[in-house]
Each structure stands twice: as C-alpha cells, then as structure tokens.
C-alpha cells in the first residue's frame, strides 16, 4: 500500500515524462517521414508523366478522318474542328490514356484530358477534350480571340512562362491555379509533341488539387503520421519538391501539432493506466508472496533472509496472553478474529516505515529503525495499552511484550533472541507488561 501511495504521489512527474517521450518520438518520426512522403509523391507524379508520354506514339501514328468545321463527339471525346478537312483520330488514344490514368489516380481527381494542336501550315489547330466543357468551347470562338487555340488555352491556364520554356521532349507540371469560370483548383501535366523540331501539339492532363491532399492523407492513414496540407506552425512546416516544375515550386505540408498532442496524450494515458494496472497486479501478487493473509504482516519465511542486513534497529516481540484458552473455549474462528483485531491495532500504533512480522501463530515481531531508548519504551507501552483498552469479541485481551536494541555489529537474530528472553520475563512476571532487555536498560 505504501508503494501505491508513492506511485500516486509521483503520478504527475511520471505522466509528464511518459508524455514527453511519446510526443518527442512521434514528432521526430513525422519529421523523418517527410522525405518518405516526398519520394512517394515524386513516384506518383512520375507515374502520371510516364503514362502521359505513351500518348506521343499514338499521336504520331494516328489515322485521319474528314470532318467539317464545328464541334464533334467521338467515344465521349469532344473535338473542336477549326477548319473542314482531315482530323486526327485521337479519341481511342485519349480514352486509353484516361483508362491508364485511372489506375494511378482516383477518377474524382481527374478534371480534364486535352490535346491542343498548334497551327503550322496545313495543320488546322484542332483540339480534343475529355470531357468537353463549355469554357473550352467559349474560348475557341474566333470572334472573341484572334490568337491561336493553343495560345489561348495556355494563357487561360496561366501557362505562358511554362509554354515559353518548352524545348525538345520537355514536360512540365504547373503550380496549382484556379481555372476561370469553373473556379476549380487544378494543376496540369503538360507534354509537348514535336515533329521536325516544331511544336505541333500539347497534351494537357488537369488534376484537381485534392489529389495532393489524398497523397498526404494516404500516408497519414497508414502509419503514425500526422502530416497535413493545412498551414501549420513555421517550425513544423516543410516544402516538398514537385518534379518537372519551373522555378522549383513546391508542395507545402505541415505536421498537425494539435493532433499530435492529442494522440500523445491518449497514448500516454493508456500506457500509464496499463502500467498502473500491471504495477498494482504485481503488488498484489507480491503481497500474497510476502505477506500473511490474515494479518497483512510480513511472513517470517519471506523476511528472515532480509533481517540479516538490518543494523541499528530496535525489536519488539509481542505475544497474545492466554491465546490457547481463547481457541479452546471459543473456537479457532473467534481466535482468528482476535488475531485480526490485535494486529490491526498494532498497525495503527506504528509508523509506515516500521516492519511488522507474524513470527508465529499469535506471536509478532516489530522492527523499528532510528528510535531513541525512551521513545522505544513509550512505544511498547502504547501498543500494550492500546490492546488492553478495548475489549475484543467481548473478551478482555492483553499482550506481553519483550524488547531489545541491536548492539554494534550484532546480528538481528541475536537481538531478537534477547527480546524473546525479555518476553518470557514479561510472561513469568504476570503478563500484560513490557520488559526490555537488560542491555537495553543500560543503554
């Protein structure tokens, strides 16, 4: 019980140390996970780029079909034809590109797949969209804009600088921007197609901004990671480099400190409470092994080996007077009740650090540390009077006590033997009294 009291006294300190350790571990684990997240995001973007690049071969080798100027739809692919004439059959390739992208990106994050042709000589500057949105039809209206369709789309999506940066077989991933009219937050994978060193077409895959959030949350959901796309504390915010971008734009992520604190608290609480449970269970098992079940005093067979190391202690041996008569006249059940009451009163009369031992059936040893001679005698008399003062099971119960003080270099067992001799003197001189060893009286 004393150990449990100490444990609860140190509870705030123990919990704080546990909480600090868990929080620090989780925080640095999250910091070390940032490069892992960056690698995962780069792999995902590279996968999208590789899929998009495959379209190059389909474009170069595609057949043509005669179409009139206007808007056409083939296999869900909208085609804007700016001049009647031959038009590349790209709808199967665009649908195949879409199917391939769906293996890498959830459908809800793909906004648009577009192929925009640039006017060169007989090239008509046609455009292909999956799906075809009203905004693209609007910006194809030549009465509104004099520039080429490709230039208009590039300008619409804020890609002017990126477009000027194209060179042979270059590829770009834009920063996140807001698309006009739809107000959708997207970023685009742009892949140019060249023939004879001339830009003839551009493939644009528009991806919703939420895809970046999903990449971050996927990692957070699978591990003890609390990384978010939301703005956090500066010291917990990191920039992840996105491949194929101009001017090194990056994806900002941060560690969710409040969630980290919350999880650390609950985890610390669970571990702490489980530790308390295990410790109490250990004390209970240890109590069964070390303590007498009836009295709660230490068992003699457990404590004897430890008494060898005791020095400078004082010892009392206590025996219940006429206990055999109690058992013979009232039975062992009543005798057990008498022992319980007597030992309870002894417990109430000694200090927490004093050691109480059930030495025999109705015989007990009390070990006192650092006790002066005069107070030692007073303590013994107080215990004797405490037992005598109140009746037990309607009987007048008394005890006899013998005491000794351990001498320099004397073994505890020798001091106990002297206390035992003093006990017999108490019994032989009328019982219900305290007798201290002669050496104790001379001290």
């Amino acid at each position: 019980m004393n150990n449990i009291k100490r444990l609860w006294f140190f509870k705030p300190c123990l919990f704080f140390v546990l909480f600090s350790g868990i929080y620090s571990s989780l925080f640095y684990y999250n910091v070390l996970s940032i490069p892992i997240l960056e690698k995962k995001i780069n792999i995902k973007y590279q996968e999208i780029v590789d899929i998009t690049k495959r379209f190059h071969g389909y474009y170069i080798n595609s057949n043509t079909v005669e179409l009139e100027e206007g808007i056409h739809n083939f296999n869900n692919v909208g085609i804007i034809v700016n001049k009647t004439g031959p038009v590349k059959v790209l709808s199967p390739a665009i649908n195949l590109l879409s199917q391939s992208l769906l293996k890498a990106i959830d459908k809800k994050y793909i906004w648009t797949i577009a192929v925009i042709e640039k006017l060169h000589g007989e090239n008509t500057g046609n455009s292909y969209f999956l799906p075809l949105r009203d905004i693209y039809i609007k910006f194809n209206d030549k009465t509104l804009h004099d520039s080429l369709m490709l230039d208009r789309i590039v300008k619409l999506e804020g890609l002017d600088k990126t477009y000027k940066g194209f060179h042979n077989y270059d590829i770009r991933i834009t920063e996140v921007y807001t698309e006009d009219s739809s107000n959708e937050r997207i970023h685009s994978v742009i892949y140019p197609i060249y023939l004879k060193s001339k830009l003839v077409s551009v493939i644009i895959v528009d991806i919703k901004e939420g895809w970046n959030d999903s990449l971050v949350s996927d990692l957070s959901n699978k591990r003890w990671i609390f990384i978010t796309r939301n703005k956090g504390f500066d010291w917990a915010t990191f920039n992840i480099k996105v491949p194929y971008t101009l001017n090194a734009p990056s994806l900002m992520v941060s560690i969710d400190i409040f969630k980290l604190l919350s999880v650390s608290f609950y985890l610390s609480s669970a571990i702490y409470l489980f530790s308390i449970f295990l410790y109490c269970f250990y004390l209970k098992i240890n109590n069964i092994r070390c303590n007498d079940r009836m009295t709660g005093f230490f068992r003699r067979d457990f404590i004897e080996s430890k008494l060898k190391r005791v020095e400078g202690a004082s010892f009392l041996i206590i025996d219940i007077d006429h206990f055999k008569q109690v058992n013979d006249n009232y039975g062992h059940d009543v005798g057990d009740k008498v022992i319980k009451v007597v030992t309870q009163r002894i417990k109430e009369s000694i200090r927490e650090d004093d050691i109480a031992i059930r030495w025999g059936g109705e015989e007990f040893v009390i070990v006192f540390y650092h006790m002066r001679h005069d107070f030692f005698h007073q303590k013994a008399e107080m215990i004797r009077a405490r037992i005598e003062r109140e009746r037990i099971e309607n009987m007048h119960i008394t005890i006899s006590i013998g005491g000794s003080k351990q001498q320099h270099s004397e073994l505890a067992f020798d001091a106990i033997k002297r206390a035992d001799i003093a006990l017999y003197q108490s019994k032989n001189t009328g019982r219900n009294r305290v007798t201290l060893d002669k050496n104790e009286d001379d001290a």
Side-chain angles (χ1 to χ4, degrees):
M1 183 60 68
N2 194 33
N3 289 331
I4 294 178
K5 289 181 179 178
R6 288 195 184 100
L7 182 64
W8 283 99
F9 176 76
F10 289 112
K11 175 184 175 182
C13 297
L14 293 173
F15 183 82
F16 178 76
V17 170
L18 179 62
F19 174 80
S20 298
I22 291 177
Y23 173 79
S24 299
S25 299
L26 287 177
F27 178 78
Y28 284 109
Y29 179 70
N30 276 261
V31 170
L32 295 175
S33 297
I34 296 295
I36 298 175
L37 176 62
E38 183 174 43
K39 183 177 180 180
K40 176 184 176 181
I41 290 176
N42 276 262
I43 290 174
K44 276 294 185 180
Y45 272 104
Q46 185 61 52
E47 186 178 0
I48 301 305
V49 168
D50 292 340
I51 292 172
T52 305
K53 282 183 176 180
R54 297 174 195 164
F55 187 82
H56 184 277
Y58 292 108
Y59 183 89
I60 298 300
N61 298 307
S62 62
N63 296 322
T64 60
V65 64
E66 290 288 330
L67 290 178
E68 294 182 356
E69 180 180 344
I71 300 173
H72 303 267
N73 189 293
F74 289 91
N75 300 320
N76 298 320
V77 176
I79 306 174
I80 300 177
V81 180
N82 288 326
K83 181 180 179 181
T84 300
V87 177
K88 285 183 173 293
V89 181
L90 298 179
S91 56
I94 292 175
N95 277 298
L96 182 60
L97 174 60
S98 175
Q99 293 170 12
S100 299
L101 289 171
L102 289 176
K103 295 178 181 179
I105 311 177
D106 192 295
K107 183 179 180 180
K108 63 183 178 182
Y109 296 122
I110 298 180
W111 180 243
T112 305
I113 299 174
V115 179
I116 314 299
E117 293 183 321
K118 186 174 178 61
L119 185 61
H120 284 293
E122 296 300 321
N123 195 316
T124 59
N126 302 318
S127 53
Y128 307 75
F129 298 92
L130 178 64
L132 177 60
R133 303 181 191 279
D134 292 338
I135 184 175
Y136 303 133
I137 298 174
K138 174 183 176 182
F139 275 86
N140 189 59
D141 187 347
K142 293 181 180 179
T143 63
L144 296 177
H145 297 276
D146 297 327
S147 59
L148 298 173
M149 177 63 176
L150 177 57
D151 295 329
R152 291 199 297 274
I153 292 295
V154 167
K155 184 176 181 180
L156 167 66
E157 298 188 346
L159 305 176
D160 305 68
K161 295 181 180 179
T162 301
Y163 174 52
K164 294 176 182 178
F166 284 159
H167 53 77
N168 288 343
Y169 304 104
D170 200 358
I171 195 163
R172 288 286 180 267
I173 296 177
T174 71
E175 296 183 63
V176 175
Y177 61 95
T178 302
E179 185 181 64
D180 291 345
S181 296
S182 67
N183 291 322
E184 187 70 43
R185 294 280 293 170
I186 61 175
H187 54 293
S188 302
V189 178
I190 304 176
Y191 179 61
I193 297 177
Y194 293 87
L195 286 178
K196 298 179 180 180
S197 300
K198 291 183 178 181
L199 177 66
V200 296
S201 181
V202 168
I203 305 168
I204 303 175
V205 177
D206 291 333
I207 303 172
K208 293 183 181 180
E209 183 183 21
W211 187 55
N212 288 331
D213 299 337
S214 71
L215 294 177
V216 174
S217 62
D218 284 349
L219 185 66
S220 297
N221 292 336
K222 293 179 180 178
R223 307 182 183 183
W224 288 97
I225 297 177
F226 309 102
I227 301 174
T228 177
R229 288 273 286 118
N230 298 326
K231 172 65 175 174
F233 295 102
D234 291 340
W235 48 270
T237 300
F238 305 86
N239 290 317
I240 293 178
K241 177 70 171 64
V242 177
Y244 301 104
T245 53
L246 288 176
N247 302 322
S250 57
L251 185 67
M252 187 185 69
V253 297
S254 63
I255 297 175
D256 190 339
I257 297 300
F258 293 107
K259 188 173 182 180
L260 190 62
L261 287 169
S262 175
V263 171
S264 298
F265 176 80
Y266 286 114
L267 192 58
S268 301
S269 300
I271 294 175
Y272 179 76
L273 292 175
F274 183 67
S275 300
I276 293 291
F277 169 78
L278 289 180
Y279 185 69
C280 292
F281 181 74
Y282 161 77
L283 291 179
K284 183 176 181 180
I285 297 300
N286 191 60
N287 184 64
I288 294 173
R289 181 175 67 90
C290 305
N291 298 91
D292 177 66
R293 183 174 299 179
M294 182 185 298
T295 64
F297 286 8
F298 282 112
R299 291 169 44 171
R300 179 174 179 175
D301 58 352
F302 169 77
I303 205 70
E304 271 189 319
S305 61
K306 297 172 175 56
L307 290 176
K308 296 177 182 179
R309 299 188 295 271
V310 172
E311 295 180 356
S314 301
F315 300 89
L316 290 181
I317 295 187
I318 302 172
D319 187 81
I320 302 176
D321 295 331
H322 305 296
F323 184 73
K324 185 176 184 304
Q325 295 179 16
V326 174
N327 276 337
D328 292 343
N329 295 333
Y330 299 98
H332 289 284
D333 289 343
V334 174
D336 290 346
K337 291 179 180 179
V338 169
I339 289 177
K340 289 179 181 178
V341 174
V342 168
T343 54
Q344 180 60 37
R345 292 180 183 177
I346 292 174
K347 285 180 189 176
E348 295 169 356
S349 303
I350 63 177
R351 302 168 301 187
E352 284 191 358
D353 293 334
D354 297 332
I355 300 174
I357 310 165
R358 188 175 186 182
W359 204 249
E362 70 277 7
E363 195 172 66
F364 314 99
V365 171
I366 311 298
V367 183
F368 300 94
Y369 289 101
H370 312 297
M371 184 172 285
R372 297 195 319 269
H373 167 73
D374 55 344
F375 189 69
F376 179 48
H377 189 270
Q378 292 174 13
K379 177 66 71 173
E381 281 291 346
M382 184 182 71
I383 294 172
R384 184 200 63 77
R386 177 76 174 84
I387 303 301
E388 181 187 27
R389 187 165 55 246
E390 299 178 26
R391 298 175 68 84
I392 302 175
E393 293 294 314
N394 204 28
M395 292 181 288
H396 181 67
I397 301 296
T398 61
I399 58 174
S400 297
I401 301 176
S404 68
K405 187 176 180 69
Q406 190 177 11
Q407 304 299 315
H408 180 67
S409 300
E410 183 183 26
L411 295 176
F413 291 107
D414 293 334
I416 292 173
K417 287 179 182 178
R418 290 193 289 110
D420 192 45
I421 294 172
L423 170 64
Y424 277 98
Q425 291 177 2
S426 292
K427 287 182 173 291
N428 292 333
T429 54
R431 303 178 189 272
N432 189 26
R433 65 187 62 229
V434 175
T435 303
L436 299 183
D437 180 71
K438 291 182 180 180
N439 291 330
E440 181 68 21
D441 290 331
D442 297 337

